[in-house]
Amino acid sequence: MSEAKTKSRKAGKSAGKQAETLTFQAEMSRLLDIVAHSLYSEKDIFLRELISNASDACDRRRHDALTRPELAVTGGDYRIAIAIDTKARTLSVSDNGIGMNRDELVANLGTIARSGTAAFAASLTGDSRKDSSLIGQFGVGFYSAFMVADRVEVLTRRAGEDDAWRWTSDGKGSFTVEPAARDAHGSTVIVHLRGDDDSFLGRERVGGIVRRYSDHIPFPIVLAEDGGEPEQANLGAALWTQPKSNVTAEQYAEFYHHVAHAMDEPRSVLHFHAEGAIDYRALLFVPGARPFDLFQPERQSRVKLYVRRVFITDHETGLVPSWLRFLRGVVDSEDLPLNVSREMLQDNPVTAKIRAGIVKRTLDEMERQAKDDAPAYNAIWADFGAVLKEGIYEGATERDRLIGLSRFRSTAGDGLTSLADYVGRMKEGQDAIWYIGGDDAAALARSPQIEAFRAKGVEVLLLTDPVDDFWIPMVGTHDGKPFKSVTRGGADLSKIEGGDDKAEDEPAGTDLGPLTAAMKLALGERVKDVRGSGRLTDSAVCLVAGDHDMDIHLERILRAHKQIDKAAARILEINPKHPLIKGLAEKANVDASAPVLKDAAWLLLDQARILEGEQVTDPVEFARRMSKVMTAGLG
Ligand code: ADP
Ligand code: MG
C-alpha cells in the first residue's frame, strides 16, 4: 500500500489502489493445505515449476511483441534470473516475460485456472494421506512453492502497462494484492524459505536443480548468490534444435514435463528434423497418462507451434489431426512467417505438409512399437486407442493403418488382440468377425448372447469405446469378413465345426410354437418377435436387435445423447434347452391360454432387460408377478 502508484488506471476499475486481502477459492485452500503438508519426495520440483512459468511468460511476451513491437524487450534478450539471498533466506525467480496485471494476478494465482489443477481438486478425497499421493500425479504448478515456503511474494508488471503489483500469501486461505513498484516489465517470484531447510540457499544445489530439470529451457537462466556475479546455469538452447544423440532420456522427460505441464513420464518420444521442400523440427511425446482435456468437445491438439524458435501458438494450429490430439510437444517451422495467423494456418500448404509428416512419423513409430514392444504399445493403446479410432471413423487417409494398429479385448483371453490375430484364429466355417458392444468388458464377457459362441469356441470382440459403435458399421468388413454384432440379427453357428456343440447337438424336442405365440400375444408391441435361440446355452432368454435395426448398444448411446428418443422393440430369444423354457413350452402345448404363461412372458422379458443393464418394464408389475410366481412355487 505504501508504494501506491499515482498513474491513473483505466476508468471503471476502482479496485486496487490499496492492499486488498482476498480469499482463495475453497478448493484452492484445501489444495494448498495438502501441498504445504505433503511429503513430496522431490521438493526441488517447485523450482522447475517457477522456471517453467517464467519461460512460458517470456514465450508469450516475445509472441505478443510480433504484432505489438512496443512490447518487445529492449535489446531482445529474454532471460530468467535466480537469486539466492542467504540472509533474507529467500530464493527468487525473475523473468522479463509478459507479467500480470491485477486482474490476471487474482485470476491466475487465486483461483483454479488450470485444467490440471482443477482435475486435481476434483479428485481430492479428504483423506490427507491419499490426497498427498495424488500431487505426484497431477502437479500443482506455481503452488508447489508452498512445499518449501512459509510465504510467497510475486512482484509483477504486465508488458505494456505502467502499474506493478505485489501478490503475497502464506498459502493459508487468503492472499493480498497491492500496488507496488517494479522498473521493468516481467515478474519476480520470491520464495521465503521455511525455517528448517537451508538446502535451497546453496548455489551448487540450486545450480544442480536447474541443470537437472531446466537445462532445456530455451532462455538463459542465470544464477547469483548474495548479489554476486550471475552465472548461466543452463544450456539455454531449444532442446528440439539439438541433435538427438546429444539429448538424454532425462532431458526429454523434463522437457515433456515443461511443455505438457504434466507430471507423468512420456511413453514415447518422437524427435526429428524434416528437411527438403519444407524444413521443420518436431519434438513430440506420447504422454504416460491421459491428459485431462482428452475428451473435451473441442478435441484440440495442444502441440505448440514455433516459427524459427519463436513461440507462436498452441491453439488451432492445424498441425495435428484431432485423432492424435493426445500428442504433446513442439513443432518449429522454418518456412511459416512469424506473423502467421490462425486463419492462415488452417489452410496452408506448409501446415498440411507438416501435419502429413507428423502423422506418418507417429504411425511409423507406433507400428514399430507394436511389433518390437507389444506391452508398451498396448499400454499406449489402452490410454489413447479410443482417440485413434476416431481417425477411422472420420475416414482419415491412414484409415487402414489405424485399423491395423487397433487392439481389442476379446473372449480369447485377458490381453489385447489385433484384427489380424483374430482372423488368424477364426474357426473353420466362420464367416464373420463377431463383436459385442457395451460399457464394461467383464460384463460383456458374461453376456447371454455370446454363450453359444463360447461353446463353439468362436471368439467375440468385446468393444467398450463408444466410438466402436460408429466406426465398425462404417468400415463394414475387414479382410473380406463382415463385422457382425452378436446382439443383432440371427446367429447361425451351425456351419462352424468343433467346440462343445451343446448349442446344436441335443434336439430341442419340445415344440416352441404355442409358447412363442402365447408370449407374443402377452407382450404385444413390447417385442418385435419371440423366437427360439441358437445363441443361448445356459441362460433362459436374451434380447437381440432385428436384422435391420440398430445394434442395441449403439441405440443406447444415441438415446443417452438424445439423438433418438425411442428404443426400437427387440426380439426376445428363448433357449429351447433351458428347463424353464421346456417346462413352459410343455404347458403351452397343453393349454396355450394358461395364465402362468402371461406372467412368465413378462418376467422373462424383464429378466432379459435386466441382463442388458436396462430397467424392468414396470417395476410395480414386475414385483407383483414375481411374488405371485414365487408364492405358487412354495405351494
Ligand atoms: P500453468 O503454468 O500450468 O498454467 P501454474 O500454476 O504454474 O499453471 O501457473 C498459473 C498461471 O499463473 C499461469 O498459467 C500464468 O498465467 C500465471 N503465471 C505464473 N507465473 C507467471 C510468470 N512468471 N509470469 C506471468 N504469468 C505467470
Ligand atoms: Mg506452470
Side-chain angles (χ1 to χ4, degrees):
M1 194 159 46
S2 53
E3 295 163 313
K5 296 205 44 163
T6 45
K7 286 252 160 55
S8 67
R9 287 172 56 81
K10 288 219 173 65
K13 288 204 179 150
S14 56
K17 279 289 153 199
Q18 303 158 351
E20 273 184 275
T21 299
L22 298 141
T23 46
F24 285 114
Q25 228 178 357
E27 298 94 325
M28 238 359 272
S29 289
R30 285 266 305 291
L31 188 141
L32 283 166
D33 192 48
I34 292 160
V35 171
H37 297 107
S38 81
L39 307 167
Y40 212 163
S41 55
E42 288 168 284
K43 289 199 192 299
D44 325 357
I45 64 108
F46 85 91
L47 193 54
R48 163 182 87 187
E49 295 300 324
L50 298 183
I51 293 172
S52 173
N53 287 346
S55 170
D56 287 346
C58 291
D59 263 346
R60 285 188 51 205
R61 182 169 178 188
R62 189 162 65 177
H63 170 261
D64 288 2
L66 293 173
T67 45
R68 295 177 59 200
E70 72 276 14
L71 297 186
V73 172
T74 341
D77 288 337
Y78 290 89
R79 58 176 223 160
I80 298 164
I82 301 177
I84 299 170
D85 185 333
T86 48
K87 272 196 221 73
R89 301 183 46 78
T90 60
L91 190 70
S92 62
V93 179
S94 303
D95 62 68
N96 51 0
I98 191 75
M100 286 177 271
N101 60 29
R102 185 189 170 281
D103 293 347
E104 288 167 334
L105 255 185
V106 173
N108 295 340
L109 303 184
T111 61
I112 297 186
R114 286 166 91 207
S115 58
T117 316
F120 175 78
S123 58
L124 290 178
T125 60
D127 172 341
S128 59
R129 238 196 21 211
K130 272 196 209 137
D131 290 345
S132 306
S133 72
L134 278 174
I135 290 187
Q137 290 170 37
F138 288 91
V140 286
F142 171 81
Y143 307 103
S144 59
F146 288 103
M147 290 191 301
V148 298
D150 48 27
R151 192 155 64 90
V152 177
E153 262 179 274
V154 181
L155 186 62
T156 182
R157 184 173 159 203
R158 180 77 155 87
E161 297 188 18
D162 293 326
D163 296 346
W165 300 93
R166 174 180 284 110
W167 178 102
T168 320
S169 179
D170 60 4
K172 297 202 175 78
S174 66
F175 60 93
T176 305
V177 180
E178 62 188 321
R182 195 181 198 283
D183 289 340
H185 296 109
S187 307
T188 303
V189 179
I190 305 160
V191 178
H192 294 263
L193 294 162
R194 283 193 212 157
D196 53 354
D197 193 354
D198 280 349
S199 57
F200 294 108
L201 293 173
R203 188 191 178 104
E204 288 304 308
R205 173 86 196 284
V206 174
I209 299 172
V210 171
R211 269 185 302 281
R212 171 153 176 226
Y213 291 116
S214 308
D215 209 21
H216 59 78
I217 294 286
F219 304 102
I221 302 173
V222 297
L223 174 59
E225 192 176 20
D226 292 332
E229 190 59 30
E231 265 174 43
Q232 186 161 337
N234 69 330
L235 179 70
L239 194 72
W240 60 89
T241 61
Q242 304 299 304
K244 248 166 133 166
S245 51
N246 284 7
V247 186
T248 64
E250 288 72 34
Q251 283 176 311
Y252 278 134
E254 284 311 330
F255 180 72
Y256 165 75
H257 292 151
H258 165 65
V259 77
H261 294 224
M263 295 290 280
D264 51 78
E265 301 308 313
R267 284 242 176 74
S268 44
V269 181
L270 223 73
H271 184 189
F272 62 91
H273 181 188
E275 283 171 296
I278 53 161
D279 188 330
Y280 66 95
R281 287 183 168 84
L283 176 48
L284 300 168
F285 301 89
V286 175
R290 284 185 171 180
F292 308 106
D293 54 3
L294 194 62
F295 291 105
Q296 278 172 9
E298 304 81 45
R299 301 166 66 235
Q300 279 294 322
S301 155
R302 295 268 167 271
V303 167
K304 295 186 176 188
L305 171 65
Y306 283 69
V307 171
R308 295 184 285 287
R309 260 64 68 212
V310 177
F311 172 69
I312 304 296
T313 179
D314 58 1
H315 276 74
E316 297 176 46
T317 57
L319 291 171
V320 174
S322 59
W323 49 271
L324 282 178
R325 64 183 175 277
F326 53 87
L327 290 177
R328 293 293 184 269
V330 307
V331 172
D332 189 353
S333 163
E334 298 293 324
D335 306 300
L336 290 167
L338 274 169
N339 62 354
V340 65
S341 67
R342 210 165 281 173
E343 296 70 37
M344 258 168 89
L345 281 170
Q346 291 314 312
D347 47 12
N348 185 302
V350 175
T351 325
K353 284 215 184 77
I354 296 178
R355 184 174 53 235
I358 291 176
V359 166
K360 181 177 177 305
R361 302 262 192 162
T362 307
L363 296 187
D364 285 349
E365 173 62 9
M366 286 185 175
E367 281 166 359
R368 189 199 59 77
Q369 266 175 319
K371 198 159 119 271
D372 297 347
D373 189 355
Y377 177 69
N378 288 347
I380 291 175
W381 181 263
D383 277 339
F384 304 117
V387 176
L388 287 161
K389 284 184 285 192
E390 291 174 15
I392 307 178
Y393 175 64
E394 287 169 7
T397 335
E398 299 75 14
R399 184 161 116 168
D400 291 343
R401 293 185 77 183
L402 288 171
I403 293 173
L405 280 165
S406 293
R407 295 292 179 271
F408 306 87
R409 300 209 165 280
S410 90
T411 51
D414 292 334
L416 293 173
T417 181
S418 66
L419 283 179
D421 288 344
Y422 177 99
V423 169
R425 285 189 295 263
M426 278 173 62
K427 292 291 222 187
E428 189 81 22
Q430 181 182 347
D431 54 7
I433 298 171
W434 291 98
Y435 71 93
I436 181 167
D439 303 324
D440 170 49
L444 287 179
R446 289 184 289 120
S447 302
Q449 289 96 336
I450 66 172
E451 287 172 357
F453 291 84
R454 274 193 186 284
K456 281 270 189 181
V458 173
E459 185 174 354
V460 177
L461 301 176
L462 310 171
L463 307 182
T464 50
D465 289 322
V467 65
D468 294 324
D469 294 279
F470 298 92
W471 75 262
I472 294 236
M474 168 151 195
V475 170
T477 60
H478 177 71
D479 202 2
K481 296 157 186 84
F483 287 101
K484 278 196 189 162
S485 165
V486 301
T487 64
R488 182 161 162 234
D492 181 10
L493 302 178
S494 59
K495 278 190 290 182
I496 300 171
E497 297 288 320
D500 162 12
D501 266 357
K502 200 156 80 173
E504 253 76 26
D505 280 1
E506 297 165 49
T510 334
D511 176 13
L512 285 186
L515 175 60
T516 52
M519 288 176 74
K520 259 186 266 185
L521 191 67
L523 300 174
E525 306 259 285
R526 277 291 176 174
V527 291
K528 190 163 203 158
D529 195 7
V530 179
R531 70 186 182 204
S533 181
R535 69 188 102 209
L536 294 172
T537 59
D538 300 323
S539 302
V541 284
C542 71
L543 285 171
V544 298
D547 269 320
H548 303 290
D549 287 341
M550 207 180 273
D551 176 66
I552 296 189
H553 186 239
L554 173 58
E555 186 187 87
R556 201 175 302 144
I557 293 175
L558 294 179
R559 255 191 298 151
H561 286 88
K562 310 255 183 300
Q563 301 280 322
I564 51 174
D565 50 352
K566 222 172 121 234
R570 302 279 168 228
I571 297 166
L572 182 63
E573 287 196 352
I574 58 177
N575 180 356
K577 275 150 278 163
H578 193 281
L580 173 59
I581 302 296
K582 276 190 197 164
L584 288 169
E586 275 156 23
K587 198 146 223 134
N589 289 347
V590 176
D591 173 10
S593 59
V596 68
L597 294 180
K598 190 175 167 204
D599 286 333
W602 281 101
L603 285 172
L604 286 169
L605 173 62
D606 283 336
Q607 194 184 114
R609 292 178 62 92
I610 292 170
L611 284 167
E612 278 305 315
E614 290 181 10
Q615 289 186 349
V616 298
T617 334
D618 176 345
V620 175
E621 276 297 290
F622 173 76
R624 193 188 58 75
R625 288 198 176 98
M626 182 77 143
S627 304
K628 192 169 142 196
V629 170
M630 283 167 77
T631 312
L634 285 175

